[in-house]
Amino acid sequence: MNLKQLGSNQTELEIKGARVLFSYSTPVACESVGKRYRTNKKWSNTTTRHINAWLGGADAEAVSQDFFDNLVKGV
């Protein structure tokens, strides 16, 4: 497990073979096995900017917030 501060209120966690983006304290995007995912839940404009910047314009499948919550459960 590796934790990296990316910027103000942005953190990346490496866990279970995935990189997970946290905006504030909420997991909202990840990359695993070459695939990228983003939450389909509407958060603040700031969180949306965090996600878009982290993805860098790459395509990402929109999945439920539960996907991210379950991915980091117990960490």
Side-chain angles (χ1 to χ4, degrees), residues 32-60:
S32 179
V33 193
K35 294 181 84 176
R36 294 180 181 198
Y37 304 92
R38 67 184 300 144
T39 184
N40 64 4
K41 182 171 181 173
K42 178 64 178 153
W43 292 102
S44 69
N45 289 336
T46 302
T47 293
T48 300
R49 281 194 304 272
H50 290 169
I51 294 168
N52 291 337
W54 188 77
L55 290 171
D59 289 331

Side-chain angles (χ1 to χ4, degrees), residues 4-39:
K4 182 179 8 173
Q5 185 74 34
L6 301 177
S8 179
N9 298 310
Q10 299 174 70
T11 308
E12 182 181 277
L13 176 67
E14 289 185 34
I15 183 170
K16 301 178 185 175
R19 293 185 313 128
V20 182
L21 172 69
F22 284 76
S23 179
Y24 298 91
S25 60
T26 305
V28 291
C30 79
E31 180 178 32
S32 179
V33 193
K35 294 181 84 176
R36 294 180 181 198
Y37 304 92
R38 67 184 300 144
T39 184

